[in-house]
Amino acid sequence: MSYDEQSQVWSECIAAANAPYNQTITAYDDYIKMGINPKKLVMGLPWYGYDYICLTLSEDHVCTIAKVPFRGAPCSDAAGRQVPYKIIMKQVNSSLSGILWDENQKSPYYNYKVRLFVIAYFHNYLFDMENFYQFSFRYNILTAVYSSKLVFESV
């Protein structure tokens, strides 16, 4: 499974991609180091993203999130809510930022604002499957690195 990698956050409580590229590659490397044949690895891809309410949203788009502990970790993706990819793509046109790219996580995201009475809440949407190009990129990199046949399944 190459998603839900933020269920336990041991670092800062900030919104992060569901399946950051480097974290995914590290996980595959770890399995190979354990002796698992790369041809037996199956890559699960998320068709959803997370909507996080930002406690603060910095000018460089860092979204601090509420501390919601999970299995001993101080933060988790439980601070956000899962949103289907289809909904994310519909909402992006009315976002504050349009689609942005996080170079460190190799993942797209955008920010939007919800106003309730006089209070404005900033939200940060992080998702992993922006388009076929990104899907293709992950597939080609993993295939090149691991020379494995990856199985794709829609759930």
Side-chain angles (χ1 to χ4, degrees), residues 38-55:
K39 293 183 186 288
K40 301 224 178 212
L41 293 175
V42 176
M43 182 182 202
L45 300 169
W47 287 95
Y48 61 92
Y50 275 87
D51 174 12
Y52 292 101
I53 294 175
C54 302
L55 300 176

Side-chain angles (χ1 to χ4, degrees), residues 8-70:
Q8 291 177 289
V9 179
W10 296 96
S11 57
E12 296 176 88
C13 293
I14 58 172
N18 192 19
Y21 176 77
N22 291 334
Q23 194 169 326
T24 301
I25 292 296
T26 299
Y28 278 86
D29 284 340
D30 290 346
Y31 283 118
I32 290 167
K33 287 176 189 170
M34 286 188 265
I36 295 172
N37 183 338
K39 293 183 186 288
K40 301 224 178 212
L41 293 175
V42 176
M43 182 182 202
L45 300 169
W47 287 95
Y48 61 92
Y50 275 87
D51 174 12
Y52 292 101
I53 294 175
C54 302
L55 300 176
T56 61
L57 180 62
S58 70
E59 286 185 26
D60 57 345
H61 306 282
V62 175
C63 170
T64 58
I65 59 175
K67 290 185 179 186
V68 180
F70 182 67

Side-chain angles (χ1 to χ4, degrees), residues 82-138:
Q82 287 184 359
V83 179
Y85 182 73
K86 181 178 179 179
I87 303 296
I88 291 171
M89 291 295 95
K90 283 182 180 178
Q91 188 181 37
V92 73
N93 292 331
S94 60
S95 70
L96 294 170
S97 61
I99 294 176
L100 301 170
W101 182 257
D102 184 311
E103 188 56 38
N104 291 328
Q105 298 183 73
K106 306 275 190 263
S107 189
Y109 69 97
Y110 65 87
N111 301 312
Y112 74 98
K113 181 167 61 172
V114 173
R115 186 172 296 280
L116 295 174
F117 304 108
V118 295
I119 301 171
Y121 295 94
F122 289 95
H123 289 247
N124 181 269
Y125 262 112
L126 291 131
F127 55 102
D128 297 290
M129 290 302 298
E130 178 184 17
N131 55 35
F132 182 76
Y133 174 76
Q134 184 182 353
F135 174 81
S136 211
F137 174 75
R138 283 188 187 211

